[in-house]
Amino acid sequence: MAGGRRPKGLGKSCILLIVVAGMERFAFKGVASNLVTYLTDVVKMSNSSAAKMVNSWCGFTSMLPLLVAPLADAYWDRYYTILSFSFFYVAGLMALTSTTLALAWNPSDHPIPSSFLFWSLCLISLGQGGFNPSLQAFGTDQLLLEEELPCSKDDPKSNTKRYFFQWWYFGICSGSLLGVILMSYIQDTFGWVLGFAIPTIAMIISIAFFSCGSRIYTYRHNDITHSKPLENTATKATVSKCTSSRISLSNEKDVEELELQEKPLCVEKSDSIECLNENPKSGSYLLKNAKVILRLLPIWTMLLIFAVIFQQPTTFFTKQGMAMKRNIGSILKIPPATLQSAITLSVIILMPLYDRVLIPITRGINVMQRMGIGMFLSVIAMVIAAIIEMKRLEIGKKMGILESQGKIVPLSIFWLLPQYILLGVSDVFTVVGMQEFFYYEVPIRMRTMGFALYTSVFGVGSFLSALMISLIELFTSSRGRRSWFTDNMSEARLDNLYWLLAIASAMSLLLYVILCKCFKSRGDLENENCK
């Protein structure tokens, strides 16, 4: 591990990794944000089938880190894990571009390109499953050693990692914004081959940037369990703290005084010291990891409905926008997927104000409470989405175009902006809070697993969204009735879906508030053990 303290704030390695993460998001969003349009217009899927496929793919992509993270934490080096999985990432993007080129040459349905499309998306999922959590965990490895130790709630050193998480999310949102705006326009205007080739090139460049920074990175190897106590980084930091504080433990009185004044420094019982002589393959080691996950499972579960709502902008919000007036003047026509940029733009605008405005205003509100605020805002966003959709259907009914499939309702697409913006504001509170929560609530040995738990919320949420669409379609299309998700957007009832999500999210928020009152943080448990 590189020695010496870094200047206050984020070092060059952290900034470079944030740029790499932003470029990766550009590549991924360049594919995912408009994928539902590609599947309906090029592959000729129905609206519901395309939405289910996008949700299932996003869910599979977000769930894979749960399988990769335990191996990355226990056996693999993070730097080489990132490089290895980036190969699968690029291979998937290149395969997707090739598949699109094959479909462009042969527009008729062909089994080989169709199956190749499926495996291309699977390769992208596999690549991202190892790349993303390892990259973020590697980013936190660049921070100060002393921050690995338990610290008090108001310890200024805890601000550095919060600062890192905020700017990390700012970086990936910036990449997402550019990916949504630029790539959806290119895909709709210049074609899908170029629209998928550019994200592929961007991903290759991001890997080159990552490799160029190899000399300035801080490397924390996963051989901590086999090192001597004084060679362990956490122990070095402990000794550094004790010596810098000039604390003498020469007699029993001094020990009692230390316990009264600095109980959080009782690190002999912390995970970083306990696991020094543990074998990652041992049953006790795995049992402790399982206990950590089970303790976080109730909170994880309550966040799933938020993750379901998180899927709507890339699926039904986009299809909703396709049935609305999208022209600006007589020339420019807005691609519906570009409105997703309102979410990331909200994050980009608010994130620099997060520390200076939002945190001081909400001083005294902890991470879990901030997550609750974001969940509440997502409920409001769904209510607004339902009201706007009801208005769109009402206008269509008055104009007598309910039976005219494909006819545009003369309601501006910009009426959808409030629901996008509110989801962006809710992201600032909930998503940043989730990153902090799952990072701090797992031991040092499980940092990659902590980020995998965070991404898995959205993975399971995607699968739940796909399952919910299937069940709703089954029940609403029975007895000769039209499904809520019929391809004729003049007859679809997306407003009912949004009302259902608003009610489910409100109930989830209520249960979340109850769980928060019973939940004991990792810091509280360590303080109890130190008594």
Side-chain angles (χ1 to χ4, degrees):
M1 182 90 183
R5 291 182 64 93
R6 294 180 182 81
K8 186 178 180 181
L10 302 180
K12 292 180 180 179
S13 58
C14 282
I15 294 172
L16 177 59
L17 291 174
I18 289 172
V19 171
V20 171
M23 295 183 71
E24 183 276 330
R25 283 292 90 184
F26 169 82
F28 182 77
K29 282 293 184 180
V31 173
S33 63
N34 211 20
L35 185 61
V36 68
T37 306
Y38 175 74
L39 295 176
T40 53
D41 293 355
V42 179
V43 188
K44 304 302 180 183
M45 287 185 175
S46 65
N47 287 346
S48 59
S49 297
K52 284 187 286 186
M53 182 170 179
V54 172
N55 285 333
S56 299
W57 176 62
C58 290
F60 179 65
T61 303
S62 300
M63 287 296 294
L64 271 177
L66 281 179
L67 301 178
V68 177
L71 299 173
D73 279 331
Y75 306 108
W76 299 342
D77 179 86
R78 284 172 184 157
Y79 177 82
Y80 290 107
T81 300
I82 295 166
L83 286 180
S84 300
F85 279 88
S86 65
F87 169 78
F88 294 105
Y89 208 143
V90 172
L93 289 169
M94 292 177 69
L96 179 62
T97 306
S98 302
T99 302
T100 308
L101 184 60
L103 287 172
W105 284 344
N106 183 17
S108 61
D109 294 333
H110 196 280
I112 295 177
S114 298
S115 60
F116 206 49
L117 170 65
F118 172 78
W119 290 112
S120 301
L121 293 175
C122 285
L123 273 176
I124 295 172
S125 298
L126 178 61
Q128 195 189 89
F131 185 90
N132 270 1
S134 299
L135 185 68
Q136 191 165 8
F138 189 63
T140 59
D141 287 347
Q142 312 305 309
L143 303 177
L144 295 176
L145 277 174
E146 288 82 352
E147 293 177 7
E148 296 290 6
L149 296 171
C151 56
S152 64
K153 188 176 180 180
D154 300 321
D155 193 329
K157 287 189 292 293
S158 66
N159 293 334
T160 304
K161 277 183 181 170
R162 187 178 69 191
Y163 188 69
F164 169 79
F165 288 128
Q166 291 165 17
W167 285 101
W168 182 273
Y169 197 51
F170 177 88
I172 63 177
C173 284
S174 299
S176 298
L177 175 66
L178 191 58
V180 170
I181 293 178
L182 180 62
M183 297 318 304
S184 59
Y185 177 76
I186 289 176
Q187 288 158 1
D188 286 1
T189 307
F190 299 103
W192 292 94
V193 176
L194 182 62
F196 288 150
I198 293 175
T200 305
I201 296 170
M203 190 63 201
I204 293 172
I205 294 173
S206 74
I207 297 167
F209 279 4
F210 175 77
S211 301
C212 290
S214 57
R215 293 185 178 181
I216 64 172
Y217 294 143
T218 292
Y219 297 91
R220 182 171 304 173
H221 299 289
N222 287 340
D223 57 3
I224 192 173
T225 56
H226 303 293
S227 59
K228 297 178 181 179
L230 285 179
E231 292 176 352
N232 176 257
T233 56
T235 309
K236 284 183 180 181
T238 306
V239 172
S240 175
K241 269 201 165 186
C242 291
T243 55
S244 63
S245 302
R246 299 181 181 178
I247 298 174
S248 174
L249 303 179
S250 58
N251 54 55
E252 187 176 344
K253 183 178 179 181
D254 290 332
V255 174
E256 292 175 357
E257 183 177 355
L258 173 62
E259 289 178 350
L260 290 173
Q261 294 179 357
E262 296 289 345
K263 284 183 180 178
L265 283 177
C266 183
V267 294
E268 287 79 4
K269 295 184 180 181
S270 71
D271 297 289
S272 59
I273 306 302
E274 278 185 349
C275 68
L276 280 176
N277 297 315
E278 285 188 52
N279 185 350
K281 300 179 183 179
S282 68
S284 62
Y285 184 90
L286 296 175
L287 181 61
K288 287 181 180 180
N289 288 0
K291 286 181 177 179
V292 171
I293 295 173
L294 288 174
R295 187 175 68 86
L296 300 176
L297 192 59
I299 301 297
W300 181 91
T301 304
M302 291 303 103
L303 293 167
L304 291 178
I305 298 299
F306 175 83
V308 172
I309 292 175
F310 198 82
Q311 305 306 316
Q312 304 314 306
T314 57
T315 53
F316 289 121
F317 280 14
T318 300
K319 295 303 296 183
Q320 190 179 0
M322 291 179 71
M324 301 173 73
K325 184 180 177 181
R326 295 180 280 143
N327 294 78
I328 299 180
S330 58
I331 301 176
L332 184 60
K333 192 173 185 179
I334 302 172
T338 57
L339 259 68
Q340 296 172 36
S341 62
I343 296 177
T344 49
L345 190 60
S346 301
V347 175
I348 290 171
I349 292 173
L350 288 175
M351 196 58 68
L353 304 175
Y354 191 80
D355 260 332
R356 296 185 179 182
V357 178
L358 293 179
I359 292 298
I361 290 175
T362 59
R363 189 171 298 280
I365 296 179
N366 59 34
V367 171
M368 297 183 73
Q369 290 169 335
R370 278 188 272 137
M371 290 160 60
I373 292 172
M375 294 169 69
F376 174 76
L377 292 175
S378 70
V379 176
I380 304 301
M382 283 296 99
V383 171
I384 292 175
I387 293 172
I388 297 299
E389 178 64 5
M390 289 173 67
K391 184 67 175 177
R392 186 186 72 83
L393 292 174
E394 182 184 348
I395 293 174
K397 186 176 181 179
K398 286 181 179 178
M399 296 186 63
I401 61 173
L402 282 179
E403 301 299 327
S404 302
Q405 185 172 359
K407 192 166 182 179
I408 301 299
V409 174
L411 180 67
S412 174
I413 195 173
F414 291 110
W415 279 98
L416 299 180
L417 278 178
Q419 63 204 56
Y420 279 102
I421 292 171
L422 265 178
L423 284 180
V425 177
S426 72
D427 280 4
V428 173
F429 285 96
T430 303
V431 177
V432 176
M434 286 169 63
Q435 292 183 27
E436 292 184 48
F437 176 78
F438 287 111
Y439 178 85
Y440 284 112
E441 291 301 325
V442 299
I444 298 167
R445 65 175 183 268
M446 294 177 65
R447 293 308 195 205
T448 309
M449 189 65 184
F451 293 121
L453 284 171
Y454 149 69
T455 59
S456 68
V457 171
F458 298 99
V460 176
S462 297
F463 285 123
L464 282 178
S465 182
L467 177 62
M468 181 185 66
I469 292 170
S470 297
L471 292 176
I472 292 174
E473 192 172 33
L474 176 65
F475 286 112
T476 58
S477 61
S478 61
R479 298 179 183 177
R481 294 176 297 179
R482 290 187 182 274
S483 167
W484 287 2
F485 312 121
T486 179
D487 291 345
N488 186 345
M489 288 300 294
S490 297
E491 297 180 345
R493 294 308 305 268
L494 297 182
D495 55 326
N496 291 340
L497 171 67
Y498 299 151
W499 283 119
L500 180 63
L501 286 175
I503 294 170
S505 185
M507 294 175 63
S508 177
L509 176 59
L510 179 61
L511 292 173
Y512 174 82
V513 171
I514 295 172
L515 283 174
C516 285
K517 292 182 178 180
C518 306
F519 182 81
K520 287 187 177 181
S521 68
R522 180 177 170 231
D524 293 336
L525 293 175
E526 287 179 348
N527 288 341
E528 288 179 3
N529 291 334
C530 288
K531 290 181 180 178

